[in-house]
Amino acid sequence: MQFEDILYENRNGVAWITINRPEKMNAFRGTTCDEIIKALNKAGYDRDIGCIVLAGAGERAFCTGGDQSAHDGNYDGRGTIGLPMEELHTAIRDVPKPVIARVQGFAIGGGNVLCTICDLTICSEKAIFGQVGPKMGSVDPGYGTAFLARVVGEKKAREIWYLNKRYSGQEAVDMGLANICVPHEQLDATVQEWAETICERSPTAIAIAKRSFNMDTAHQSGIAGMGMYALKLYYDTEESREGVKALQEKRKPDFRKYAK
């Protein structure tokens, strides 16, 4: 299976799926999402794979969400908003093997959402988490908001989305967004160690456990689907476009000018 935007590697029974767009801070476009989905399905139903790692290439970023250079009222791929986000999020949750987010740098926007959805998140001391949607004329309904509240608590989730602050790796651990924060040079070894430990466990028991965890929040898939349609309508407004224009023009956005 050939990929353009990602790397796929089997490391001793652990599938490493790496977003390979370091020049874009590993922001994803339509092609990236499609390839991650294909790689997840490949790994998820490969008997030789016991665990999956989702990573970002380079030192700067795990993932910084949707590629704004491919966004002009819509993104460049398929799906409700031009990115198959519902399908990507569902693939992470439905694949019958744990998915570990390996965070070595920025996990911002849609990248922060991926960390939220992954079964486990392991980060280095250089990791930075946060949301930027309301600063950019965007939001991530469903898993990015409602499920985040289940992970970190509703008050903290509202803080993350309303204030758009950035959080260190240790702060992510303290709020429950990450499992462990380790020295940067120990990140890969720790991720591989956790993943190989999972590979030693009963795959059927792990799959049942994951399904059981997911059943408790399965209704949020509907929230996410409905929210994406609302987001599509929002992207067609001048208020949303103001975020992208302000970024391109290197100025502070004036959303209230267009709000109705």
Side-chain angles (χ1 to χ4, degrees):
M1 189 176 291
Q2 298 296 314
F3 296 114
E4 180 181 357
D5 284 10
I6 69 170
L7 303 174
Y8 184 94
E9 182 182 3
N10 181 343
R11 301 186 188 178
N12 195 28
V14 180
W16 281 66
I17 300 171
T18 304
I19 303 172
N20 191 30
R21 306 187 78 218
E23 75 285 355
K24 295 287 188 178
M25 299 283 279
N26 294 320
F28 47 71
R29 56 179 179 167
T31 299
T32 320
C33 294
D34 282 332
E35 290 185 353
I36 296 173
I37 293 167
K38 290 178 182 177
L40 285 167
N41 287 328
K42 172 182 172 65
Y45 300 95
D46 183 341
R47 284 182 169 271
D48 293 329
I49 298 297
C51 188
I52 301 168
V53 172
L54 183 60
E59 292 295 314
R60 297 182 65 197
F62 163 71
C63 176
T64 54
D67 184 354
Q68 293 299 312
S69 66
H71 176 38
D72 183 15
N74 210 328
Y75 287 99
D76 67 330
R78 60 189 179 84
T80 306
I81 61 169
L83 291 173
M85 297 314 303
E86 307 104 301
E87 189 175 339
L88 174 55
H89 294 167
T90 298
I92 294 173
R93 281 173 61 88
D94 284 359
V95 66
K97 293 163 187 177
V99 182
I100 300 175
R102 169 215 180 254
V103 183
Q104 84 288 20
F106 289 102
I108 302 294
N112 193 80
V113 177
L114 294 180
C115 292
T116 303
I117 299 172
C118 284
D119 296 273
L120 302 168
T121 297
I122 300 175
C123 65
S124 89
E125 293 172 337
K126 294 184 179 181
I128 300 175
F129 297 81
Q131 282 299 339
V132 294
K135 292 174 64 176
M136 296 298 301
S138 183
V139 68
D140 196 311
Y143 291 120
T145 47
F147 186 64
L148 178 67
R150 182 67 68 92
V151 172
V152 304
E154 187 161 329
K155 292 292 186 181
K156 198 65 179 181
R158 289 174 187 258
E159 174 191 313
I160 290 170
W161 275 101
Y162 295 170
L163 301 183
N164 307 137
K165 295 166 61 178
R166 293 183 176 181
Y167 305 88
S168 69
Q170 188 56 53
E171 287 176 314
V173 172
D174 292 342
M175 74 174 78
L177 182 57
N179 295 86
I180 186 173
C181 180
V182 300
H184 189 70
E185 63 275 10
Q186 296 178 17
L187 179 60
D188 283 357
T190 303
V191 170
Q192 188 69 20
E193 178 186 355
W194 281 44
E196 289 185 6
T197 298
I198 291 171
C199 290
E200 295 173 356
R201 305 299 184 248
S202 163
T204 302
I206 291 290
I208 292 172
K210 180 166 181 173
R211 289 280 191 265
S212 182
F213 285 127
N214 287 349
M215 285 178 67
D216 186 49
T217 53
H219 65 283
Q220 293 190 353
S221 175
I223 297 173
M226 180 184 67
M228 287 296 170
Y229 277 98
L231 188 60
K232 176 178 174 57
L233 296 174
Y234 172 51
Y235 280 163
D236 288 335
T237 68
E238 289 300 321
E239 180 182 345
S240 175
R241 293 191 181 102
E242 170 64 6
V244 178
K245 289 178 183 177
L247 177 66
Q248 294 171 342
E249 297 170 6
K250 299 180 179 180
R251 60 175 174 81
K252 187 176 181 178
D254 183 8
F255 292 113
R256 296 193 176 278
K257 177 180 178 181
Y258 301 103
K260 296 182 181 179

